[in-house]
Amino acid sequence: MKLLISPINKEEAIIASRGGADIVDVKNPKEGSLGANFPWVIRDVKEAVEGRQPISATIGDFNYKPGTASLAAFGAAVAGADYIKVGLYDIQTEDQAFELITKIAQAVKDYDSTKKVVASGYSDYKRINSISPLLLPSIAAKAGADVVMVDTAIKDGKSTFEFMDEKKLKKFTDLAHGCGLENAIAGSLKFEDLPVLERIGPDIIGVRGMVCGGDRTTSIRQELVEKLVAECQA
């Protein structure tokens, strides 16, 4: 499993990078689960990491606004992100999901075909009346995305595992792989979740709160990053 860690600024990015993250993911928790940070923060993080890891950037928890989303995705790509992540927050139908992801993928790939598009659903989708993440792999593959992800939409301390059990997350992983996509699991994950995550076998796990000591609003701690890296490699 690759380890994606989500800093909010250059200082945290350096800690995540030095601690051994596989992917450094720029986000802004003040604007939601996949809240977008500023273009200059993405650039600063990319410069600080100095090529040690690829850079990921979130562009927001999106409702059905393909134009706005594609422009945001293009901006993240230009700013230096290697992975561009969008949350399908208020997406009601498969057709809406397909159009949103298609337009984002076109905006990114026309600029640089090597960059990867990540489409994220939410394990607690019923709480926000959105599309099930189990529908995403086939949609995302047809739309030209590279990775499908599941996260929690509402950050109230409840984990993805409270909404999708091991069986459902394994199904999500298998569906993604069957469609030729990588997959990622995130959403208030804890150290004690690592054994079951190993059984599920996602390509990537995404964390922030885990390496902040449990509170995603505080700062990333290098000793926790190093602990997580060591446990993932054990």
Side-chain angles (χ1 to χ4, degrees), residues 74 77-78 81-82 84 105-117:
F74 179 76
V78 172
D82 303 295
I84 293 87
Q106 181 178 345
V108 170
K109 304 289 186 177
D110 281 355
Y111 174 70
D112 185 341
S113 62
T114 68
K115 294 183 183 289
K116 294 187 177 184
V117 172

Side-chain angles (χ1 to χ4, degrees), residues 91-137:
I91 302 300
Q92 306 296 319
T93 69
E94 294 180 54
D95 287 342
Q96 287 181 347
F98 177 75
E99 184 177 3
L100 187 77
I101 300 168
T102 298
K103 295 300 189 285
I104 288 170
Q106 181 178 345
V108 170
K109 304 289 186 177
D110 281 355
Y111 174 70
D112 185 341
S113 62
T114 68
K115 294 183 183 289
K116 294 187 177 184
V117 172
V118 183
S120 180
Y122 301 93
S123 56
D124 54 344
Y125 67 99
K126 292 181 180 177
R127 294 205 287 177
I128 59 169
N129 191 32
S130 194
I131 194 168
S132 167
L134 293 177
L135 297 174
L136 281 187

Side-chain angles (χ1 to χ4, degrees), residues 111-229:
Y111 174 70
D112 185 341
S113 62
T114 68
K115 294 183 183 289
K116 294 187 177 184
V117 172
V118 183
S120 180
Y122 301 93
S123 56
D124 54 344
Y125 67 99
K126 292 181 180 177
R127 294 205 287 177
I128 59 169
N129 191 32
S130 194
I131 194 168
S132 167
L134 293 177
L135 297 174
L136 281 187
S138 62
I139 298 169
K142 292 174 186 174
D146 304 280
V147 186
V148 283
M149 180 175 179
V150 63
D151 203 337
T152 46
I154 300 172
K155 296 297 184 181
D156 56 1
K158 291 185 177 179
S159 166
T160 279
F161 283 101
E162 296 185 53
F163 304 99
M164 294 177 70
D165 59 17
E166 179 178 350
K167 184 177 179 181
K168 287 183 179 177
L169 288 169
K170 184 68 167 68
K171 182 178 181 181
F172 174 72
T173 300
D174 291 344
L175 286 170
H177 292 163
C179 291
L181 303 174
E182 291 185 278
N183 84 302
I185 296 175
S188 299
L189 303 178
K190 302 175 179 62
F191 279 98
E192 51 265 36
D193 296 326
L194 292 176
V196 66
L197 285 165
E198 290 283 356
R199 292 198 299 271
I200 293 168
D203 301 290
I204 302 165
I205 59 169
V207 304
R208 175 172 172 83
M210 187 194 295
V211 292
C212 292
D215 183 353
R216 73 196 296 264
T217 65
T218 60
S219 296
I220 292 174
R221 292 158 49 185
Q222 186 162 334
E223 71 273 15
L224 292 178
V225 176
E226 292 172 350
K227 176 185 176 184
L228 180 56
V229 169

